[in-house]
Amino acid sequence: QVQLVESGGGSVQPGRSLRLSCAASGLTFGSYAIAWFRQAPGKELEGVAAMTDKEFEQFYVDSVKGRFTISRDNDKMMIYLQMNNLKPEDTAVYTCAAMLYIGEDLSKFRPRDYSYWSQGTQVTVSA
């Protein structure tokens, strides 16, 4: 049974940092591309960051470039999202996702490409 279990959400003031973690189990993790998505109230699901399985190529939505960093530890089967200089518009429920990677264009952030999803964690940025 594949599971993605995330942790690390919370409430912070603008300009501060948070690190989200996502623990994977039940899959050959090193063969999976990973991604973080978010959904703010009243808005559509948005891809935030993605990474390929072995080359660790990274992709980001423009609004987080230079502030967010996606990473993975294939030995520990962990996915991370380091979020720096957080802004109120980053407030959303964040979800990690994984797909068996066969060369898809991860920059398109297509939710339907991802087979496995975590439960989601709330990130709130406010003064």
Side-chain angles (χ1 to χ4, degrees):
Q1 181 184 359
V2 176
Q3 280 192 311
L4 298 176
V5 180
E6 65 179 302
S7 59
S11 296
V12 295
Q13 294 179 328
R16 303 299 291 268
S17 299
L18 274 178
R19 187 195 198 202
L20 303 182
S21 300
C22 184
S25 61
L27 72 170
T28 308
F29 187 68
S31 297
Y32 281 72
I34 59 172
W36 290 93
F37 287 79
R38 67 185 180 185
Q39 188 164 24
K43 294 189 176 181
E44 293 186 355
L45 189 66
E46 175 186 42
V48 175
M51 178 176 274
T52 57
D53 55 347
K54 297 177 178 63
E55 301 298 326
F56 292 15
E57 188 175 6
Q58 301 169 44
F59 304 88
Y60 297 94
V61 67
D62 285 347
S63 60
V64 308
K65 285 180 180 177
R67 300 189 298 122
F68 289 14
T69 302
I70 187 172
S71 61
R72 64 190 294 164
D73 185 327
N74 282 359
D75 291 334
K76 296 181 179 178
M77 298 177 65
M78 293 293 296
I79 305 165
Y80 304 100
L81 184 67
Q82 178 67 42
M83 305 184 292
N84 297 329
N85 190 22
L86 281 160
K87 303 177 180 181
E89 51 263 42
D90 295 319
T91 296
V93 174
Y94 284 72
T95 307
C96 63
M99 71 152 113
L100 187 62
Y101 187 58
I102 54 174
E104 293 87 345
D105 183 354
L106 299 186
S107 69
K108 297 187 181 299
F109 292 107
R110 289 186 295 249
R112 67 176 185 269
D113 288 341
Y114 293 84
S115 302
Y116 303 108
W117 296 79
S118 65
Q119 77 281 9
T121 189
Q122 178 69 44
V123 172
T124 302
V125 185
S126 67

